[in-house]
Amino acid sequence: EIISKKNSCNDNKEEKIKEESDKIVNSVDELEEQLESVLKNIVNKYKEIKLSGCQFNPYASNPPKAFYDKLDKVMQTATAYNYKDTWKEIEEDITKKVNSRESKYCIRLCESVLNYLPEHMQVILKDEIKRCQEDIDCEIENGSKEVEQMMQKKDIKEINELLERCNLNQEKAIEFGIYKMARDIVLRMESQWDDGQNLAALLSMGELYRFKNIFKKMPEITRYYADSHNYLSNTFDKHHKNIISTFASNWL
């Protein structure tokens, strides 16, 4: 009977120990789940940040460097892989954004982002940004030569083809050149009307009409044509009235 009581007592102790152990395990599991949720939220917060189209550094308010410094201390002592995986995901996301084609043309913004990154990332991305700057300089130089050669040919179909496939730097130069060509036609046509070169003026009007049809997405060209068309209509109305007036005064 005594032995039976001892066994029963031992069983109770084991059950209590097991219960306490289960509670601890459950608590640890809950903490891990909460931690995992927090880390995922942080990762998502950084992933939602976009560099393209930004005028100011979006990482300034939540510097990845500050988060990395805190996480690094934990990674030095913790054996869990969650911390390292979390930072790896954030680092890969930032690196991808800085190296993206959109960010390639935002060198100053990317340089600003560097100041808010951990040192090891600064070293890597600094070289990438420098290489991008060199690529952009080369691209601008080659692009400028291509635009200059195309504008000298004055073939509006080829110019339009270049406009459709050009980069951002070329686009501004091409549009400036197109507007200048159209404006030159308008000035030439006005001079031809004033000098009585009506046929030549009509030919210039046809040339401007072709400009309007090819460069439909450029509103200024449409305005040039509309103004010239109105001028032509007013001129014909004026001549028509003069003819009627002269005829009336001579024959009536």
Side-chain angles (χ1 to χ4, degrees):
E1 186 178 346
I2 295 173
I3 294 173
S4 177
K5 287 182 178 180
K6 285 184 178 180
N7 289 336
S8 177
C9 184
N10 289 334
D11 290 341
N12 290 335
K13 285 183 178 180
E14 288 179 1
E15 287 180 3
K16 288 182 179 180
I17 292 173
K18 187 177 183 305
E19 287 178 4
E20 292 297 325
S21 297
D22 289 342
K23 286 182 181 179
I24 293 172
V25 171
N26 290 334
S27 297
V28 171
D29 289 342
E30 289 178 5
L31 286 173
E32 286 185 351
E33 289 178 2
Q34 292 175 5
L35 176 61
E36 185 177 354
S37 177
V38 170
L39 293 176
K40 282 184 178 179
N41 288 336
I42 293 174
V43 170
N44 290 334
K45 180 179 68 175
Y46 281 114
K47 283 189 173 183
E48 288 172 358
I49 292 176
K50 295 181 179 179
L51 283 182
S52 58
C54 288
Q55 294 182 341
F56 303 100
N57 183 0
Y59 292 103
S61 57
N62 293 291
K65 184 179 185 300
F67 175 66
Y68 175 80
D69 289 342
K70 294 178 181 178
L71 201 61
D72 187 49
K73 293 179 181 178
V74 180
M75 288 191 291
Q76 299 299 330
T77 57
T79 57
Y81 290 99
N82 288 353
Y83 301 102
K84 293 182 180 179
D85 290 344
T86 296
W87 175 253
K88 183 180 179 182
E89 195 170 353
I90 293 173
E91 182 172 321
E92 288 177 351
D93 179 68
I94 295 174
T95 301
K96 183 179 178 181
K97 288 172 181 174
V98 172
N99 288 335
S100 69
R101 181 169 180 80
E102 290 79 9
S103 299
K104 181 179 178 181
Y105 298 99
C106 306
I107 297 297
R108 290 185 179 179
L109 177 62
C110 291
E111 288 176 339
S112 175
V113 169
L114 283 185
N115 297 325
Y116 295 87
L117 299 180
E119 188 174 345
H120 71 279
M121 288 188 69
Q122 291 185 28
V123 173
I124 297 172
L125 292 178
K126 188 175 183 180
D127 291 338
E128 288 291 329
I129 292 174
K130 182 180 179 181
R131 182 182 58 78
C132 284
Q133 181 64 66
E134 292 172 351
D135 290 345
I136 290 173
D137 292 341
C138 182
E139 188 176 300
I140 290 175
E141 184 178 355
N142 293 333
S144 297
K145 290 179 180 178
E146 184 180 15
V147 171
E148 185 178 354
Q149 292 172 355
M150 188 64 69
M151 300 310 293
Q152 287 177 352
K153 291 173 65 176
K154 295 186 177 181
D155 186 319
I156 59 176
K157 287 186 177 180
E158 290 188 10
I159 292 173
N160 187 51
E161 289 175 359
L162 177 60
L163 183 62
E164 290 179 349
R165 62 176 172 81
C166 69
N167 57 45
L168 293 175
N169 293 312
Q170 288 178 311
E171 184 177 4
K172 292 181 180 179
I174 294 171
E175 289 182 347
F176 177 81
I178 292 171
Y179 282 131
K180 185 179 184 304
M181 290 172 65
R183 184 59 185 163
D184 288 344
I185 294 173
V186 172
L187 293 174
R188 184 179 73 223
M189 182 169 53
E190 290 176 352
S191 177
Q192 289 166 339
W193 285 124
D194 292 340
D195 294 341
Q197 301 176 27
N198 296 336
L199 179 58
L202 288 173
L203 291 174
S204 295
M205 185 73 178
E207 188 178 354
L208 189 61
Y209 178 76
R210 287 193 295 274
F211 262 72
K212 180 184 77 73
N213 283 344
I214 289 179
F215 304 112
K216 295 178 180 179
K217 296 181 180 180
M218 301 178 67
E220 198 69 14
I221 302 295
T222 302
R223 187 180 68 80
Y224 284 161
Y225 177 78
D227 290 346
S228 299
H229 185 272
N230 290 335
Y231 179 84
L232 177 61
S233 297
N234 293 334
T235 300
F236 273 110
D237 287 343
K238 181 180 178 181
H239 285 306
H240 181 262
K241 289 179 181 178
N242 287 338
I243 292 172
I244 297 298
S245 177
T246 301
F247 179 82
S249 62
N250 290 334
W251 296 94
L252 297 178

